[in-house]
Amino acid sequence: MIPDDAFSLWKEYFQGDPEVRAVAPGRVNLIGEHTDYNQGLVFPVAIDRRTSGLFRAASRDQCRLISGQAGAEAPFRLLGSSPKRWTRFAWACGRALSEHVDEAVPALEGVVWSDIPKGSGLSSSAALELCLLSAWNAVGAYGLSNHELAKIAWRAETRFVGVACGVMDQMASALGEAGRAIFIDTRTEEFSGWRIPEGLGMVVMDTRKRRALASSAYSHRVDECRRSAQALGITSLRDATLEMIVECRSHGLDDVAARRARHVVTENARVLAFREGLERDHRPSIGTLCHESHQSLKYDYDVSSPELDAMVEASALAPGFVAARLTGAGFGGCCVGLIERSKFRSFQAAVLGEYKRHNFTRPHIFEVTASSGAKAGAV
Ligand code: ADP
Ligand code: MG
């Protein structure tokens, strides 16, 4: 379960033994993009790419954490100011957990190891948070549920790291189930697992293109949605309707606000239709809904990129294709594809061949399977 590399890393940096191991998955979102910070509907899957770790309570009042991917950072105190680099996620989790349990939590030391590509939209940040919080939950014997841990992780990322994200990533990493996608109503936080039909494979197509201003563009969208909701006279775009948008447009609602709202309204409807399509294994409607989602993200939400568009187009011509769309925040990153599982090799070869016609970076195309959510236990 825990990769050997994590044990080697532990031996390199620590004396004695770890007490707790923890693991949390990344996620891919099948449909429902940019809806979670609008109290909308999402349909992610926890995947078999994970962040794992080995931990124990530190003997001194300082957290010391090593990452196989991002290196060793200076030790830090939870009561001190936020570290600058990746350990700020750990500092944020510790602070949010302390607030939740209403007491000082022990300093944590340990190592993390991950095979989730960072910053490409598979939510390596939520996996890191859930890995750390699951470990803390075990070390401190707090008995918190995974749903509670997801909310604490969300609070860590929004309040203490300062990213205005919705709750999808943390809930997906915490609540994933083998073989199932997780339908989440982010307004009520109700969630349920929906079986992915046998034979329907999931593919991640990573353009490996990171857009430098992705995080500021993301907060810009969050602001635009807030303004759009305000102009429509509602608290969140979850309550918008197409009629309302048309009506307000004739009273001066600007074009950007109208298009952002239209994306959210139509995307929420697509999530429900997609869930039905998945339940009936009705592949033509799954394909159409993903196509419409991508177009809406491209034209109404302005978060696609030439690479993402080329990838979706290349995949539509490949053997075994069922559906494809950009996944995650956009502005680069990954597309998700649904395919006939048995055709993966020929699908991959065909997409690579077609995509090569553009002079973009060579992408990474790999299969993923729906996996269980975060867990921790004694080593
Ligand atoms: P995403 O969540 O889509 O991968 P983010 O920008 O939200 O992208 O999060 C990426 C950040 O999370 C990294 O820059 C790093 O700070 C932190 N992170 C994720 N995984 C690890 C890891 N294994 N080790 C150290 N830091 C990590
Ligand atoms: Mg993230």
Side-chain angles (χ1 to χ4, degrees):
M1 189 62 137
I2 301 289
D4 291 344
D5 299 299
F7 284 98
S8 313
L9 204 58
W10 176 276
K11 288 207 184 87
E12 203 179 311
Y13 285 91
F14 295 101
Q15 308 262 304
D17 294 321
E19 290 162 8
V20 163
R21 63 188 158 75
V23 56
R27 64 101 189 90
V28 66
N29 189 22
L30 296 183
I31 196 159
E33 216 65 76
H34 286 281
T35 48
D36 66 343
Y37 52 82
N38 290 300
Q39 300 190 1
L41 308 176
V42 293
F43 211 5
V45 181
I47 57 175
D48 53 342
R49 293 274 183 144
R50 306 180 174 95
T51 298
S52 317
L54 296 165
F55 305 93
R56 70 183 171 203
S59 51
R60 289 192 301 152
D61 187 22
Q62 282 195 324
C63 294
R64 186 171 164 235
L65 295 162
I66 321 294
S67 160
Q69 288 62 49
E73 287 295 327
F76 61 89
R77 293 162 57 91
L78 288 173
L79 290 176
S81 57
S82 169
K84 291 279 172 290
R85 290 201 285 251
W86 72 269
T87 47
R88 71 189 188 283
F89 286 94
W91 174 85
C93 285
R95 292 291 282 255
L97 180 62
S98 288
E99 262 188 16
H100 186 89
V101 298
D102 203 17
E103 65 183 46
V105 300
L108 198 65
E109 60 185 18
V111 299
V112 294
W113 187 272
S114 183
D115 62 358
I116 309 168
K118 290 201 297 285
S120 58
L122 299 181
S123 211
S124 68
S125 62
L128 176 62
E129 290 154 10
L130 266 301
C131 175
L132 291 165
L133 283 167
S134 304
W136 246 312
N137 193 26
V139 165
Y142 299 117
L144 298 165
S145 70
N146 272 22
H147 190 181
E148 285 171 301
L149 294 180
K151 289 200 270 192
I152 298 166
W154 175 76
R155 192 156 165 76
E157 187 147 349
T158 50
R159 160 125 198 253
F160 293 102
V161 180
V163 179
C165 61
V167 76
M168 167 171 72
D169 298 352
Q170 290 79 12
M171 283 189 74
S173 182
L175 302 166
E177 278 184 67
R180 287 173 189 263
I182 313 298
F183 171 82
I184 307 168
D185 180 333
T186 65
R187 168 169 272 177
T188 60
E189 287 184 15
E190 280 166 328
F191 59 92
S192 47
W194 293 70
R195 201 180 60 79
I196 298 169
E198 263 315 297
L200 192 64
M202 287 185 298
V203 181
V204 168
M205 298 174 276
D206 184 357
T207 64
R208 298 168 68 211
K209 165 91 182 196
R210 320 271 173 261
R211 212 165 89 178
L213 296 173
S215 68
S216 58
Y218 181 88
S219 353
H220 193 57
R221 290 292 173 283
V222 176
D223 278 346
E224 286 173 341
C225 287
R226 202 172 292 137
R227 276 197 298 108
S228 178
Q230 235 164 35
L232 292 168
I234 49 184
T235 49
S236 120
L237 288 182
R238 170 65 181 270
D239 297 319
T241 62
L242 290 178
E243 294 72 32
M244 208 183 257
I245 300 168
V246 172
E247 166 75 8
C248 277
R249 222 168 178 171
S250 63
H251 291 94
L253 181 72
D254 70 78
D255 178 60
V256 167
R259 286 191 291 118
R260 304 299 186 250
R262 185 167 60 188
H263 168 72
V264 175
V265 172
T266 57
E267 186 77 352
N268 280 333
R270 280 188 290 271
V271 177
L272 291 174
F274 183 99
R275 190 179 74 174
E276 201 182 310
L278 196 71
E279 192 176 26
R280 292 191 293 124
D281 196 7
H282 190 264
R283 297 184 184 185
S285 68
I286 290 174
T288 305
L289 290 160
C290 286
H291 172 78
E292 288 172 3
S293 170
H294 187 86
Q295 298 304 308
S296 178
L297 288 160
K298 177 176 175 173
Y299 293 109
D300 275 350
Y301 220 69
D302 296 315
V303 294
S304 192
S305 71
E307 292 82 359
L308 291 166
D309 293 342
M311 191 71 87
V312 164
E313 280 161 29
S315 63
L317 303 170
F321 171 82
V322 173
R325 51 179 288 279
L326 77 81
T327 188
F331 319 107
C334 295
C335 290
V336 58
L338 292 166
I339 63 166
E340 285 170 48
R341 193 176 214 160
S342 58
K343 302 266 174 63
F344 174 69
R345 288 279 159 225
S346 47
F347 175 85
Q348 182 191 42
V351 177
L352 285 172
E354 179 64 24
Y355 189 78
K356 210 171 164 181
R357 298 198 302 114
H358 307 270
N359 265 335
F360 299 141
T361 309
R362 189 179 158 82
H364 285 162
I365 299 181
F366 51 92
E367 278 183 293
V368 289
T369 53
S371 303
S372 50
K375 45 181 148 325
V379 174

